[in-house]
Amino acid sequence: MTTERIDAHQHFWQPSRGDYGWLTPELTTLYRPFAPDDLKPLREAAEIGRTVVVQAAPTIDETRYLLDLARDEPSIAGVVGWVPLDAPNAAESIRELARDPKFKGVRPMLQDLNDDRWIEQPELGAAIHALIDGDLSFDALIFTRHIPSIKRFAANFPALRIVVDHGAKPPIKEGVAAWQSWADGMEQLAALPQRLHCKLSGLATEAGPDWTPATLRPYVDHLIENFGPERLMWGSDWPVLNLNGDYARWSTAAHSLTERLGASAQQAIFGGTALAFYRL
């Protein structure tokens, strides 16, 4: 049986809501509303049935906004939201949001925090245990420099399901000079007994504007070698993708970069892994 195709990472937003601190008018390509009707023709052309919508603002209000969208939109399979994990009432907030069956996990915006070791603080314990108790997941939005902290975090919470967003944003534009530290770090994360997952997403954004599948191949191959298809899931990162590509271009490239693996492996990467990991 053919597995349903899932886009495991995309965003919807409405700038007039006012809580997207990073989304400024200078980002002309992105500074407008993006809604399910905008994505529909793109995902249908790529034969994507449903998507996982990921938070883009560090507020519970935005999470509720996404859950409201999901309630009336069958193409939204799940929502990864945001909760202030260090707040005294964080566990209560997680339990309240989890009453909605489409709430699948949380993502703190670690890449934007001043403290690279923020995720290690013991004050997060109650919130993380609430995620575990609710069978919810954790999206790690990180760069290479965060990998040591994520390793310690994963060791502290071995029952937590963790997925690394965007392959930890490899420094593709920096070339060979920056390759090794990223490659070593991803190998270390993949080897953890917790069996972390990883998203095959965001790579086009980290490349130069003239990227081709050949540009991305070493990074994709390294992720495949270390995580395997059963722990890799494809995501568009749309509409952020529009900064340096488009839905069809990235979808086509990802299929060409994984076709050597065969049909069953591609079914995992383009649907099966996300279905299992996010409990869709």
Side-chain angles (χ1 to χ4, degrees):
M1 187 175 73
T2 301
T3 303
E4 177 188 12
R5 286 188 179 179
I6 300 288
D7 179 343
H9 195 109
Q10 56 89 196
H11 308 281
F12 295 127
W13 58 63
Q14 171 52 265
S16 65
R17 294 187 53 261
D19 53 2
Y20 309 92
W22 63 275
L23 185 56
T24 63
E26 288 71 31
L27 289 168
T28 53
T29 302
L30 303 182
Y31 194 72
R32 68 169 183 83
F34 286 91
D37 285 347
D38 298 299
L39 179 58
K40 182 179 180 180
L42 305 177
R43 66 172 177 78
E44 288 184 348
E47 300 182 330
I48 299 294
R50 293 186 295 162
T51 73
V52 175
V53 183
V54 181
Q55 63 79 226
T59 66
I60 288 182
D61 282 346
E62 196 232 9
T63 301
R64 293 196 175 105
Y65 160 73
L66 295 175
L67 289 170
D68 286 343
L69 280 181
R71 210 161 288 125
D72 299 320
E73 178 52 58
S75 71
I76 299 177
V79 170
V80 176
W82 183 94
V83 170
L85 297 177
D86 54 354
N89 66 339
E92 179 183 341
S93 296
I94 288 168
R95 287 190 288 268
E96 183 262 320
L97 290 166
R99 292 182 191 131
D100 190 313
K102 286 194 175 181
F103 181 74
K104 299 300 181 181
V106 302
R107 181 177 82 154
M109 301 176 81
L110 299 180
Q111 68 171 20
D112 296 332
L113 301 179
N114 292 327
D115 181 3
D116 287 348
R117 299 183 63 179
W118 181 90
I119 197 61
E120 297 181 50
Q121 59 182 309
E123 289 81 5
L124 307 184
I128 302 306
H129 283 297
L131 292 174
I132 294 168
D133 292 344
D135 196 24
L136 299 166
S137 62
F138 182 95
D139 270 56
L141 177 62
I142 61 171
F143 291 109
T144 303
R145 67 178 187 268
H146 297 99
I147 288 175
S149 283
I150 291 296
K151 287 169 59 181
R152 287 186 281 269
F153 174 70
N156 288 336
F157 301 101
L160 180 65
R161 285 183 288 116
I162 300 172
V163 59
V164 179
D165 287 356
H166 312 323
K169 294 196 165 186
I172 298 173
K173 281 184 286 217
E174 297 176 35
V176 176
W179 160 269
Q180 201 60 54
S181 59
W182 171 81
D184 291 347
M186 296 310 290
E187 186 173 347
Q188 292 163 19
L189 289 180
L192 293 175
Q194 195 165 347
R195 292 180 59 79
L196 270 64
H197 286 56
C198 184
K199 290 187 181 178
L200 193 62
S201 62
L203 302 184
T205 309
E206 302 307 312
D210 55 349
W211 66 269
T212 67
T215 311
L216 307 181
R217 183 173 296 281
Y219 302 89
V220 172
D221 285 352
H222 190 69
L223 295 176
I224 291 170
E225 179 184 351
N226 285 280
F227 289 90
E230 74 283 354
R231 289 194 284 154
L232 277 179
M233 59 186 89
W234 180 82
S236 65
D237 198 26
W238 179 93
V240 177
L241 172 65
N242 294 346
L243 290 172
N244 198 31
D246 60 62
Y247 207 96
R249 181 182 174 193
W250 167 230
S251 174
T252 301
H255 276 88
S256 71
L257 289 165
T258 57
E259 64 183 352
R260 66 177 174 81
L261 302 174
S264 62
Q266 282 194 311
Q267 285 179 16
I269 292 170
F270 290 92
T273 301
L275 283 164
F277 179 84
Y278 280 121
R279 314 293 198 246
L280 302 180

